[in-house]
Amino acid sequence: MRRIPFTTGWQTRPHANSFAEVVGAAAPWQDVTLPHDATLGEPRDPAHGAGRGYFPGGVYEYRRTFDVPADAAGRRWVLEFEGVYRRAMVYVNGALAGHRASGYTGFAVPLDDFLRYGGDNEVRVVCRSAQDSRWYAGAGIHRPVHLAVGDLLHVALDGVRVTTRDVDADLAVIEVATTVENDRPRLATVEAVTEVRDADGAVVATDRAPVTVRPGEPAVVRQRLVVREPSLWGPGSPALYTATVHLRDGDAVVDDETVTFGIRTVSVDPVRGLRVNGGTVDLRGACVHSDNGVLGSATVDRADERRVELLQAAGFNALRSAHNPMSRAMLEACDRLGVLVMDELTDMWTESKSDLDAALDFPEWWQRDVTAMVRKDANHPSVVMYSIGNEIPEVATPHGALWSRRLAEAVRALDDSRPVTNGVNGMLAVIGEATQTVEGGINTMLSDMGGFMRELSGSELVGRRTAESFAVLDVAGLNYMDARYEADREVFPNRVVVGSETFPADVDRLWRLVRDNPHVIGDFTWTGWDYLGEVGIGRVADVEDPAARQLNGPFPWLLAHVGDIDVTGHRRPASYHREIVFGLRRDPYVAVLRPERSGRETVSTPWSWSDTVGSWAFPSGTQGTPLTVEVSSDAEEVELLLDGESLGTAEAGEARRFRAEFTVAWAPGELTAVARTGGEETGRFSLRSADGPVALAAVADREVIRADGTDLAYVDLTLQDAAGTVALGVDREVTVRVEGSGVLAGFGSAAPSTEESYLDDVHTTFDGRALAVVRPTGPGTITVTASAAGCQRVTTTVEARRPGSSTVPA
């Protein structure tokens, strides 16, 4: 069946019942392009809770009309949604045609019985969000929609699956399994003709097989093909192939389907760890939530693609989708770039974590959700593990173990080529019993949550209570349970483990555990990218702050304020430190404690990093203020210089947790760190103060983008001096205007606490930076103009071109 983008021409509004329509109380319809987040424009309020970022819930509806030709009754019509948050009800011409409980799982709605042939048809989608998430989930049709049209005899949606059955340097044996559906009134026989092409488009394998299909009884055609001298897909060489299946009835092509895949093998064992194509890979992992910062929950393809690009550039080779199935766009980006994926099903099973969350639907919907995730992932070589859950409280109970086994076996029945894991938090699994036996109970736990998690997770209690739930897995996912890593090697010698969620500040110790223990296959930090909601869990606060010891930040906190990369895509100091720990960077990195923290006692959470910035460009009023300078380096020692004058030398390297620390009175100039091992320089890094007045600068990430509804232009806005040094402490409001073939899709900064909206055209910079995201409306020139008080107006242009032009990005 042919998928046609179905993202334009939509309208939305808060849901109105029939009575509201009659009395004229319904809100007006607003034109939107999908994907769309219905929550992002709603007013925030402290009453709505910190988990959701103080955004409200709501009920929203979308509608769109489309024409169906009079002669189309002999065709199959299906509407495919990649994700609607949440509890979607789909109506076609006023009749309920389909529904889905999950907010992240794709689903298809057959339209045939509801269509009016030869006229206009209306699709209406109603969706609901409430206190149903521990983080910001947004609402609405937040992932793409497709209209699929085909012959009554056709390849099923996601009906072509390619599996590597055997491979060596000389040849690969692949199996192409095609599901054919027959909605005709009589039995039919067609021929399945399959072609495999390499990245250059050359045909490298073919096969033909007849297939007879009864009405209402799908048939699976399995074809084994040999690819000679295969190019293997892996983290360092993500070679991709395509397989096209044509269903032929004589000389006529009834239907065809093309899928992209990679030839590769995956295995795990406690002696050699995770192996891809026979080579051991240590997972340098990042957990990522599904929101896209200033776009909210809207999953435009380019937004997810850009995140993968920036995370990989920062040193990560693996991503964990936290805690819902990853979008198709992000998986495709991981395939192209060679990034490994742990795709995760859900954050809850039968026990709720929020009042109205998915646990209410899980017993009824879990099988369909598992099936949808596996069908989506099966051809993506980047997916190397399925995760059946995250921090499920019931895993330490007998019935929780039953669910663990049920889910793991359901995944294996659909796809036995990938390991199954589950992100288990030992503290949450035994929290009731633990708080009763620990002196001080819950107060003791909250006073040192990180230490409490670590100590409890290594206990005999957790080991005994989670043994069965871990035994059903191929890889034991340990959330904040690194105390078990080495102990499990002795107690459970056949267990393979992964740090499925870890504290960022412990990266040096955790990575050493990965390197020293083959059964520990990797580390996934919380998080790789900052996100909306769970506000303030990574914040640093002054001791005298009344909210300092609360887990969440008070209103108007908006962001979690964790992550190696902030919501605008800018790398934070933790990112460079991690890159050094991973052995990917030789130059040192310099980070400076914010001047407002100088001499103050602070409180932080287990997810916090030091409140530092990679800058020496502070305002003149900072003169003489003693600042803490943290230099990350793998070298034996680091010397710090200011304008070439030595400020001292300190030990660094792994023995000092890859960090040297200095106290320096701030003065304008160039601050340089020189790293040395054995007296020989191994690298250096400099920061400069800002000189003279600041100007506003605007730089787009690309000059040419696609005008097909899947692309975006990201425009970085900075306050900088004539040399390009971004200045801190001089933040100001910036106004953005977009003209031509585009609209402003989102505009904001990385400010963790703000009352400004990402949907306004005015926003205040944070640490001298802001980000404008522009969405093309068609081919043509897009002009972005930005202005700020005291700065000259700046303009940048982007060209949107239709796909097919040689100058358009693929």
Side-chain angles (χ1 to χ4, degrees), residues 383-646:
V383 179
V384 294
M385 266 187 286
Y386 294 116
S387 171
I388 56 175
N390 170 68
E391 298 187 343
I392 306 298
E394 56 264 46
V395 294
T397 68
H399 283 90
L402 285 172
W403 274 111
S404 298
R405 193 177 304 279
R406 188 177 292 137
L407 284 156
E409 291 305 316
V411 171
R412 293 184 182 112
L414 296 166
D415 182 1
D416 62 359
S417 69
R418 295 170 169 94
V420 177
T421 187
N422 186 7
V424 174
N425 185 312
M427 183 191 77
L428 294 180
V430 299
I431 188 66
E433 187 173 346
T435 54
Q436 293 172 13
T437 58
V438 173
E439 184 177 353
I442 194 71
N443 292 327
T444 298
M445 183 197 77
L446 292 175
S447 65
D448 181 16
M449 183 177 292
F452 185 82
M453 280 187 181
R454 186 171 295 113
E455 180 178 354
L456 183 60
S457 68
S459 68
E460 184 276 337
L461 171 65
V462 168
R464 171 169 43 85
R465 293 276 296 276
T466 59
E468 185 178 359
S469 287
F470 278 140
V472 309
L473 304 172
D474 303 299
V475 178
L478 305 185
N479 285 18
Y480 312 108
M481 294 175 67
D482 51 277
R484 299 207 67 86
Y485 288 7
E486 294 185 309
D488 277 3
R489 184 177 56 198
E490 307 299 327
V491 180
F492 303 101
N494 295 310
R495 179 178 289 180
V496 179
V497 307
V498 63
S500 42
E501 194 168 311
T502 61
F503 295 127
D506 293 337
V507 58
D508 58 310
R509 185 175 54 78
L510 296 167
W511 193 242
R512 173 48 58 190
L513 288 170
V514 172
R515 300 303 299 272
D516 289 348
N517 295 277
H519 73 291
V520 183
I521 64 174
D523 177 84
F524 287 81
T525 187
W526 192 265
T527 62
W529 196 283
D530 198 10
Y531 58 96
L532 298 165
E534 283 193 323
V535 299
I537 67 163
R539 76 194 192 285
V540 176
D542 290 338
V543 167
E544 59 266 27
D545 184 340
R549 298 190 183 278
Q550 295 177 10
L551 183 59
N552 291 115
F555 184 84
W557 271 78
L558 175 62
L559 302 175
H561 200 47
V562 297
D564 284 28
I565 301 177
D566 70 29
V567 292
T568 70
H570 181 65
R571 292 178 68 179
R572 303 171 71 200
S575 174
Y576 296 96
H577 182 87
R578 185 181 310 279
E579 191 178 14
I580 288 168
V581 172
F582 283 158
L584 303 176
R585 176 187 173 100
R586 297 308 306 275
D587 286 331
Y589 183 77
V590 179
V592 183
L593 191 70
R594 294 180 183 275
E596 56 267 34
R597 299 289 187 202
S598 177
R600 303 182 73 87
E601 185 180 357
T602 60
V603 176
S604 58
T605 76
W607 295 274
S608 300
W609 195 259
S610 58
D611 196 10
T612 53
V613 289
S615 177
W616 193 246
F618 303 115
S620 58
T622 311
Q623 183 79 40
T625 301
L627 301 181
T628 299
V629 177
E630 298 176 357
V631 182
S632 298
S633 176
D634 63 353
E636 291 177 355
E637 63 178 22
V638 172
E639 183 180 15
L640 195 65
L641 304 95
L642 183 59
D643 287 339
E645 183 175 332
S646 179

Side-chain angles (χ1 to χ4, degrees), residues 683-753:
R684 62 173 57 208
F685 180 79
S686 297
L687 297 174
R688 295 173 179 83
S689 59
D691 184 22
V694 298
L696 183 61
V699 178
D701 62 334
R702 293 168 301 154
E703 295 180 352
V704 178
I705 62 175
R706 301 183 302 274
D708 63 355
T710 67
D711 211 349
L712 300 164
Y714 282 80
V715 180
D716 286 312
L717 301 164
T718 53
L719 298 170
Q720 59 186 47
D721 68 6
T725 300
V726 177
L728 273 65
V730 294
D731 288 312
R732 58 197 67 180
E733 283 188 346
V734 177
T735 300
V736 168
R737 185 175 73 253
V738 178
E739 298 173 298
S741 301
V743 294
L744 187 62
F747 178 35
S749 74
S753 178

